[in-house]
Amino acid sequence: QSAQVAFGGLQHDSSLPVEVVADQLQVNQTDGSAVFTGNVVIGQGTMRLSAAEVQVEYTSAESGTAGRISRMLASGGVVLVNGGEAAEANEATYTIDTGSIVMTGDVVMTQGQNALTANRMVIDLNTGTANMEGRVRTILQSGSNN
Amino acid sequence: MAIYDNAYSRFIAWLKIILPLVALGLLSTLFLFSRGIDPSQTIPYADVDIDELVREQRITSPNYTGMTDDGTAVSFFAESARPDPDNPNLLTAVALKAKIEAPSGLQVDISSEGGSINSTQRQSVLSGNVEVETSSGYEIFTERLTAALDGSLLETARNVRAQGPLGMIEAGKMVLELEDADSDTYLLVFKGGVKLVYTP
C-alpha cells in the first residue's frame, strides 16, 4: 500500500546550483562517467543528501550540449535531510531536472515525532510531497502522557 | 668682371658669383655642422651575456617526442632548456609544454611557465601556472604537476581548480592515470577533498 506525505514544507527550487562535496571524484576519460566516493554530500538549496558513493549520469552526451547531468545514483546508505524532515534508505536516485528523489531499500522517514518506514519512497521536491510504497508502517507518538 | 650696359646683364653677372657661393655654403653645412660622431658610444649590440652563453650549453626550442609501446605519443616542447650543471640527466626548461595523445583518442595538452625533465627518473616536473586541457572537456589549473615521460601518469602536487562538463571543481590533488597497466582508458581522479558546483 502507499501513503502520501508532505515532505519539506518550504518550496524547493530545482534550478538552484547543485554542490557536491566528497573525498574523491573519479572521471573515466573514455565514457565520461563520474563517480564520487567517500562521504559524499549533495547539497541544493536546503536539501542535503549524503551517501557513501554517488554515480553521476549524463543526458546523452552526444545531444550537442556538453552532456548535462541528468541523474545522480547515491548508494551505500543514503540520508536525506530537507527542512524539518529526514529520510534514510539504502539507495537513492536524484533526477535534477524533475527534482524527484526515489529512495529504495528499507526507507525510514522521520517527521518531528512520528516515523514511517516503507520499501520505496518517491519524493517530489518541487511540490514538497513524498509518496511511500510497499509495507508502509507508521509509528505515531501519541504525545507523552507522563 | 666685364661691365655691362644694362641692369639685367649686371644682375646675371652678380648671380653667377652669388649662387655658387650659396651652393658652397650649403655644401659645407653638410660637413661642418653635422652631429659629432661620438666614437666612444658603442653600437647597440644585443646585450646577451656572451660568457654566460659560452659557459653553459643551452638548447633553444628543444623538442622531445616519444611513442610508448602501447601507442601513446608523448611530446615535450620548450622555449629553451639547459642541462643541470651537476646532474647531466636533469634538464631545466623555460615555458615547457607537453602533449599526450593516447590510442583511446584522449588528447592532453599541458602548458607551464617552466619545469624540468629528469630522464633518469623518467618524469618531468612542470611548475608555474600549469594548465592541463583534456579533449574530454576538462581544463585544470594548478601550480605544480609531475608527468611521467611515458605519459602514463600525471599528478599535481597541490590543490587544483578544474572546469569541465560536470561544472567547477576544486580538489586537493589530481591524478590522471591509466585504469590499469594494460588498459588504455585513462581515469581522471580528484583526491584530497573534492568540491563541485554544477548549475543545472
Side-chain angles (χ1 to χ4, degrees):
Chain A
Q1 77 279 33
S2 80
Q4 182 82 15
V5 170
F7 184 85
L10 21 89
Q11 264 329 62
H12 171 80
D13 170 6
S14 69
S15 69
L16 285 173
V18 176
E19 196 190 278
V20 183
V21 178
D23 287 353
Q24 179 178 309
L25 159 66
Q26 182 173 304
V27 182
N28 186 314
Q29 291 298 288
T30 313
D31 56 16
S33 68
V35 177
F36 288 94
T37 47
N39 41 59
V40 185
V41 176
I42 304 174
Q44 184 175 32
T46 60
M47 187 270 292
R48 290 289 173 275
L49 192 144
S50 58
E53 191 184 301
V54 169
Q55 168 101 20
V56 178
E57 260 182 27
Y58 290 94
T59 50
S60 59
E62 315 77 27
S63 64
T65 62
R68 290 165 34 77
I69 295 185
S70 68
R71 288 194 324 171
M72 287 194 180
L73 313 169
S75 54
V78 177
V79 175
L80 170 68
V81 174
N82 188 7
E85 283 81 15
E88 265 177 54
N90 290 352
E91 273 133 22
T93 310
Y94 175 33
T95 316
I96 295 180
D97 299 337
T98 59
S100 84
I101 300 179
V102 175
M103 302 184 88
T104 50
D106 51 58
V107 181
V108 174
M109 186 165 88
T110 55
Q111 269 181 336
Q113 285 301 329
N114 24 17
L116 295 97
T117 59
N119 281 355
R120 188 169 180 277
M121 178 161 80
V122 178
I123 303 167
D124 187 340
L125 291 170
N126 295 331
T127 59
T129 59
N131 190 324
M132 307 185 76
E133 292 138 8
R135 295 206 46 69
V136 180
R137 283 198 319 282
T138 60
I139 304 139
L140 300 174
Q141 298 296 347
S142 61
S144 60
N145 45 22
N146 49 14
Chain B
M1 194 164 99
I3 310 299
Y4 297 101
D5 51 1
N6 58 21
Y8 181 68
S9 304
R10 267 197 305 280
F11 172 64
I12 294 299
W14 275 109
L15 270 187
K16 278 197 275 186
I17 297 163
I18 294 163
L19 282 184
L21 285 178
V22 165
L24 258 177
L26 275 178
L27 256 176
S28 63
T29 58
L30 193 60
F31 306 105
L32 288 181
F33 304 124
S34 69
R35 277 191 320 282
I37 308 287
D38 167 11
S40 67
Q41 191 206 2
T42 59
I43 302 162
Y45 287 109
D47 50 6
V48 173
D49 188 348
I50 306 296
D51 44 20
E52 186 218 313
L53 265 184
V54 166
R55 182 165 24 82
E56 77 201 2
Q57 310 131 336
R58 174 193 291 264
I59 324 159
T60 48
S61 67
N63 178 338
Y64 162 100
T65 47
M67 171 81 79
T68 60
D69 40 25
D70 63 0
T72 317
V74 179
S75 42
F76 285 85
F77 310 90
E79 236 171 63
S80 75
R82 280 197 324 273
D84 201 71
D86 39 31
N87 172 359
N89 289 326
L90 182 64
L91 276 169
T92 26
V94 172
L96 188 58
K97 287 187 177 51
K99 182 195 266 290
I100 299 170
E101 280 142 329
S104 67
L106 173 73
Q107 193 176 327
V108 180
D109 290 304
I110 310 160
S111 69
S112 73
E113 277 165 7
S116 65
I117 299 178
N118 188 324
S119 36
T120 42
Q121 292 165 5
R122 311 291 309 145
Q123 71 174 9
S124 145
V125 175
L126 294 100
S127 52
N129 289 341
V130 181
E131 234 183 274
V132 180
E133 244 181 82
T134 69
S135 55
S136 54
Y138 279 90
E139 265 169 47
I140 297 142
F141 304 97
T142 181
E143 265 318 298
R144 239 174 101 80
L145 177 81
T146 314
L149 286 193
D150 58 6
S152 61
L153 172 71
L154 285 186
E155 200 173 341
T156 64
R158 279 187 293 280
N159 47 28
V160 164
R161 197 171 46 79
Q163 179 77 25
L166 271 180
M168 230 277 297
I169 301 166
E170 274 152 28
K173 195 171 122 132
M174 180 218 64
V175 175
L176 180 70
E177 61 196 350
L178 283 170
E179 201 164 21
D180 45 46
D182 41 26
S183 100
D184 67 353
T185 53
Y186 275 85
L187 290 180
L188 178 61
V189 182
F190 293 96
K191 290 187 176 132
V194 176
K195 177 167 171 292
L196 171 119
V197 177
Y198 165 75
T199 42

